[in-house]
Amino acid sequence: DTNSMNCSVELLASYDTTYPADTVEWCPIPEYNNILVCGTYKLNEANKSKTGSINLFSLDNQNKIKLVQSVPEDAVLDLKWNPFIVSGQILLAAALSGNHISIYRLGEYSVVINQNNEKDNDLSLSLFTSFDVPKTNDESHMSLSIAWSSLYENGSQSIAFSDSCGYVTLVNLNDQLIRSFKAHNFESWIVTYNYCEPNILYTGGDDCKFKCYDQRLQFDKPIFENKEHEQGVTTCSSNKIRKNIIVTGSYDEIIRLWDIRNMKHSYNNVKVSGGVWRLKWEPNKEEYLLSASMFNAAHIIDTSLGVADICQSFGEKSNRLYYGADWCYRNKTLLEHDTKSKNQKIISTCSFYDHRLDLFFVNMKL
């Protein structure tokens, strides 16, 4: 592959998450971008109950990973950090199996580490607030994905979550106003906001439909509805820098690039095989994509030239199912004189059956 010259990947660390791991998210807040969370999902076959945990890790300057806290929870299906600090709070939203959404806050507390009363600051997540997922015919829905909006003109913000019965629910965090609408038949696998216009939402469902809604027009019908995907639409991400570009992934194993000015069909695509569960733009330039490609490990895709090119496929495949992947917001090291590290990114993936969280260095030609 001509493009693999542009990036190489090496395993940095591997961690056993005990329960099957299905989501990993690095903190986007600059002072805390050495922090990541990994969510787990364990099904008890006997009684069909679901449990999980939110695991908070830190990465030190020697690139060693440490488990800081493990919060027992219902099974975790998605985690998302709020990219904005609101009223001084750093918030993490969790889509959970127990018919609710929880929002945690990240806080610091001092710990005495020796007899001389020297203190070390440690971090922890504590519950900030929670919301119930809607019910239909007294049957509870299970949340599947969660998204934070950008800030609206009046400074308010909302979160959206999609659920197992095809609904999408929006919660305005300022007035707690909750609105739900049915977006899809079967599961609504994904909901995400347009980064530059938080009134615009994209949704994808197990009915193979990819839709866009404008919350100023209510939700009775989408602005567009696209049927190009051949299987369920599992992930979608809006590009912050090229504001007309969005990307989707699907069980049909194809990553599609879209221009919102022409949503009749995608303008380019690439097949990664194995199904696509999560897609993340590289945070600085948003030209490279990281894909958690389910049964076919992980991929880095270059979209900089208007086409989607696989520049690296990596990760152990046997007995693994990749549901989570994300980029660390900081480069490999904080040492300014180390010019080589400017193009060295840290990424993480998590896999389900063997409950692993892996960290990698990526050398990129950015």
Side-chain angles (χ1 to χ4, degrees):
D1 183 353
T2 50
N3 242 2
S4 57
M5 300 297 289
N6 291 351
C7 77
S8 62
V9 176
E10 62 180 287
L11 184 65
L12 159 66
S14 196
Y15 191 93
D16 184 341
T17 58
T18 312
Y19 283 176
D22 63 0
T23 175
V24 61
E25 296 282 324
W26 286 91
C27 185
I29 305 299
E31 308 90 277
Y32 296 101
N33 60 20
N34 64 321
I35 297 293
L36 75 155
V37 283
C38 180
T40 65
Y41 180 111
K42 174 80 173 154
L43 177 65
N44 180 325
E45 290 296 345
N47 63 9
K48 296 293 179 238
S49 66
K50 302 179 182 85
T51 51
S53 58
I54 301 171
N55 298 302
L56 181 72
F57 293 92
S58 68
L59 188 69
D60 68 18
N61 288 342
Q62 281 70 49
N63 298 311
K64 295 264 189 304
I65 186 171
K66 173 179 113 172
L67 178 66
V68 178
Q69 183 190 18
S70 184
V71 183
E73 251 300 359
D74 295 320
V76 180
L77 289 105
D78 197 19
L79 293 169
K80 290 278 167 30
W81 292 99
N82 188 347
F84 304 93
I85 296 178
V86 176
S87 308
Q89 308 284 0
I90 296 168
L91 300 178
L92 174 75
L96 301 162
S97 62
N99 318 322
H100 64 280
I101 294 289
S102 286
I103 297 181
Y104 285 86
R105 58 182 279 267
L106 182 69
E108 281 194 48
Y109 61 95
S110 295
V111 190
V112 176
I113 52 172
N114 58 26
Q115 288 103 334
N116 304 334
N117 274 348
E118 286 182 23
K119 291 192 167 74
D120 189 16
N121 279 353
D122 228 332
L123 293 169
S124 72
L125 293 167
S126 54
L127 191 62
F128 181 70
T129 186
S130 60
F131 305 100
D132 288 334
V133 180
K135 293 181 172 182
T136 38
N137 307 329
D138 246 15
E139 196 181 326
S140 290
H141 306 183
M142 183 165 80
S143 58
L144 298 172
S145 77
I146 194 157
W148 295 88
S149 76
S150 300
L151 302 179
Y152 297 98
E153 282 175 9
N154 64 3
S156 69
Q157 191 180 23
S158 63
I159 56 170
F161 50 90
S162 65
D163 73 37
S164 54
C165 295
Y167 283 75
V168 166
T169 301
L170 280 83
V171 182
N172 184 306
L173 294 172
N174 294 52
D175 58 17
Q176 312 277 305
L177 179 69
I178 298 178
R179 291 182 290 169
S180 276
F181 65 97
K182 187 158 175 74
H184 296 276
N185 296 321
F186 317 116
E187 292 89 350
S188 283
W189 289 119
I190 191 74
V191 61
T192 190
Y193 289 88
N194 182 303
Y195 184 80
C196 301
E197 176 40 88
N199 284 301
I200 302 287
L201 286 155
Y202 305 106
T203 69
D206 211 51
D207 54 9
C208 308
K209 289 177 182 168
F210 171 42
K211 298 184 182 184
C212 174
Y213 291 89
D214 185 332
Q215 57 179 339
R216 292 163 298 196
L217 305 175
Q218 301 309 308
F219 299 109
D220 35 8
K221 66 173 202 284
I223 302 174
F224 72 74
E225 178 177 315
N226 184 284
K227 300 179 179 140
E228 184 175 314
H229 302 82
E230 289 170 27
Q231 291 181 41
V233 183
T234 49
T235 185
C236 175
S237 185
S238 161
N239 194 296
K240 299 181 182 66
I241 294 169
R242 292 174 288 166
K243 47 176 163 300
N244 296 310
I245 306 302
I246 49 177
V247 63
T248 57
S250 163
Y251 287 129
D252 70 11
E253 309 185 351
I254 295 172
I255 293 171
R256 291 174 171 85
L257 293 170
W258 305 79
D259 186 315
I260 58 176
R261 295 164 295 190
N262 175 14
M263 294 304 299
K264 289 194 171 53
H265 45 77
S266 59
Y267 71 83
N268 200 260
N269 67 65
V270 65
K271 184 163 184 145
V272 291
S273 305
V276 180
W277 190 253
R278 281 290 175 267
L279 289 168
K280 301 285 185 64
W281 293 106
E282 185 278 316
N284 292 336
K285 289 191 174 175
E286 304 233 342
E287 291 179 345
Y288 286 89
L289 277 165
L290 178 58
S291 170
S293 309
M294 296 179 73
F295 294 105
N296 201 29
H299 294 81
I300 294 173
I301 315 289
D302 182 1
T303 71
S304 59
L305 300 172
V307 292
D309 275 329
I310 296 173
C311 62
Q312 193 60 253
S313 152
F314 64 98
E316 178 67 42
K317 287 180 195 165
S318 62
N319 190 33
R320 286 190 141 193
L321 180 55
Y322 286 72
Y323 277 139
D326 200 16
W327 304 84
C328 179
Y329 286 73
R330 77 173 189 192
N331 289 350
K332 176 193 167 189
T333 144
L334 305 173
L335 300 173
E336 283 307 310
H337 62 264
D338 185 356
T339 48
K340 179 171 159 282
S341 74
K342 285 279 186 289
N343 296 343
Q344 196 164 42
K345 301 278 165 200
I346 295 170
I347 55 176
S348 55
T349 62
C350 64
S351 58
F352 196 74
Y353 300 132
D354 60 343
H355 33 89
R356 302 299 302 174
L357 169 67
D358 287 333
L359 270 68
F360 298 88
F361 282 143
V362 193
N363 292 298
M364 321 218 37
K365 191 174 138 220
L366 286 177

